[in-house]
Amino acid sequence: MTAIKIGLVSVSDRASQGIYEDKGLPALKNWLNKAVLNEKQYIEHLIPDEQDLIEKTLIDLVDHQDCPLVLTTGGTGPYIRDVTPDATLAIADKVMPGFGEQMRQVSLYFVPTAILSRQVGVIRKKSLILNLPGRPNAIRETLEGVKDQDGKVLIHGVFAAVPMCIDVIGGPRIETDEKVVKAFLPKK
């Protein structure tokens, strides 16, 4: 299996200032360590809600660090300082609206306020960038999906489509643990 570089960005004014502990980066790594079988190298950033800085960070992870997958957490709501989707869209080559739609569909299963989310998925060059919610449970839910008590998938999480998207834009093949999330991949 090919190793994969994954850019992780937690966007939070207060966590970046040390006012409280960031929970986004640990939640992302914890889920990815369970779900993705490839060897992983994480490039992590904890930054404030500043659009210029978010844009520069995303550009660096894609253009200079060569991360085929970049996941952000935080800054996707309707608050004035929530500018992660705005920064992501500003540096995008293609918008992939299905990712945002699916994240909201999963979240609506748990909370009616999910319609306030502005999460997006985009492609820049040969990289997929996804804006995930900020809460650790919501991160896991949107990536993994909704399952019944027997583990049967009721609503697919967005990660089911991530390996195929990365494959078709020229990135490495990502293998997943099907007990966590079954990825839909083209035949080898």
Side-chain angles (χ1 to χ4, degrees):
M1 258 182 277
T2 306
I4 182 170
K5 266 193 203 180
I6 303 174
L8 303 177
V9 182
S10 184
V11 181
S12 169
D13 285 334
R14 291 177 289 173
S16 67
Q17 295 169 8
I19 295 170
Y20 63 74
E21 179 185 0
D22 174 61
K23 295 187 178 180
L25 293 172
L28 287 168
K29 289 192 303 190
N30 181 49
W31 190 86
L32 289 163
N33 286 338
K34 287 192 282 189
V36 176
L37 300 175
N38 303 60
E39 181 181 324
K40 294 164 285 300
Q41 176 189 353
Y42 298 119
I43 301 174
E44 303 172 46
H45 294 274
L46 174 57
I47 59 175
D49 294 271
E50 298 291 341
Q51 184 166 340
D52 289 346
L53 181 57
I54 299 167
E55 289 177 24
K56 288 175 185 166
T57 301
L58 296 176
I59 290 169
D60 179 62
L61 288 168
V62 172
D63 296 11
H64 305 292
Q65 302 296 328
D66 299 316
C67 295
L69 176 62
V70 177
L71 302 177
T72 73
T73 178
T76 59
Y79 297 97
I80 298 296
R81 299 276 302 155
D82 287 342
V83 294
T84 304
D86 308 277
T88 303
L89 291 168
I91 58 92
D93 294 329
K94 291 182 182 179
V95 177
M96 302 296 290
F99 284 107
E101 293 164 5
Q102 191 64 14
M103 284 188 266
R104 283 182 287 281
Q105 181 184 15
V106 169
S107 294
L108 277 167
Y109 185 85
F110 300 101
V111 293
T113 55
I115 59 173
L116 300 175
S117 170
R118 299 184 314 118
Q119 296 150 334
V120 297
V122 305
I123 293 172
R124 177 179 174 88
K125 298 186 178 187
K126 292 185 176 185
S127 298
L128 175 64
I129 303 170
L130 298 178
N131 297 154
L132 301 171
R135 288 184 5 263
N137 278 349
I139 291 168
R140 180 185 50 76
E141 292 160 0
T142 55
L143 290 170
E144 196 170 312
V146 179
K147 298 177 184 175
D148 68 14
Q149 56 193 2
D150 297 323
K152 181 182 178 220
V153 175
L154 301 175
I155 303 171
H156 288 285
V158 294
F159 210 87
V162 166
M164 180 152 181
C165 184
I166 290 174
D167 184 77
V168 300
I169 62 175
R173 187 173 182 92
I174 298 175
E175 300 288 343
T176 61
D177 181 340
E178 292 188 4
K179 292 181 293 238
V180 180
V181 63
K182 180 176 174 33
F184 295 86
L185 281 164
K187 303 284 184 214
K188 288 184 183 179

